[in-house]
Amino acid sequence: MSLKFGQHLIKSSVIFLKTALSFALVNRSPVVPGHVLVCPMRSTNRFRELSPEEVSDLFNTVQRVASVVEYHFEGTSITISLQDGPDAGQTVHHVHVHILPRKAGDFEKNDQIYEELQNHDKEVSNISRKWRSEQEMETEAAALRKYF
């Protein structure tokens, strides 16, 4: 079963957690190893469009997933980001929360991660990060799925 993620169709093989109102998936272009996304099941463009129940489920899921990816990817901290609207850097028309396990020194300047997030999934020739293969994404999702 596939799920809709904005303008994209996401295969179930890259989804590692589903709750009543949310789902978590691996990222096709991670900024750091373990960069994953948590989304509400219902596709809405903006955070303000979510019901209180959806917000609660979304952030309870974010908390669970953050603990797992920090542990699994041997992070020491977590960056959690929600880019709400195009002027905030949102490129997929579906509310989603980025969870990024962090380590000391992973960026020269700590806030550089926000610049990377702004550009991480754009098809720009001067960005060296490539999209991962389906197999890489499926393998990571399978490893994370075991924690839930």
Side-chain angles (χ1 to χ4, degrees), residues 65-132:
V65 169
S67 292
V68 165
V69 297
E70 183 176 357
Y71 172 78
H72 183 79
F73 291 94
E74 300 176 347
T76 56
S77 298
I78 291 284
T79 292
I80 296 171
S81 177
L82 190 159
Q83 296 162 296
D84 190 29
D87 295 327
Q90 181 182 14
T91 57
V92 176
H93 309 295
H94 188 140
V95 171
H96 57 285
V97 179
H98 296 261
I99 302 173
L100 302 99
R102 303 290 305 275
K103 297 177 181 180
D106 54 4
F107 290 94
E108 186 177 331
K109 294 180 181 177
N110 194 40
D111 283 350
Q112 182 183 352
I113 194 162
Y114 300 109
E115 292 174 29
E116 293 291 327
L117 271 173
Q118 185 175 7
N119 295 314
H120 88 285
D121 63 354
K122 293 180 182 174
E123 295 184 67
V124 180
S125 60
N126 66 344
I127 296 177
S128 61
R129 191 184 311 66
K130 302 287 184 219
W131 289 351
R132 299 192 298 168

Side-chain angles (χ1 to χ4, degrees), residues 25-59:
L25 66 147
V26 299
N27 199 314
R28 69 181 178 177
S29 179
V31 172
V32 295
H35 175 188
V36 299
L37 306 173
V38 178
C39 316
M41 289 285 193
R42 185 170 66 92
S43 181
T44 63
N45 287 335
R46 300 294 304 275
F47 184 72
R48 66 178 172 244
E49 298 168 352
L50 296 174
S51 71
E53 295 79 16
E54 288 170 316
V55 171
S56 178
D57 188 81
L58 180 69
F59 279 95

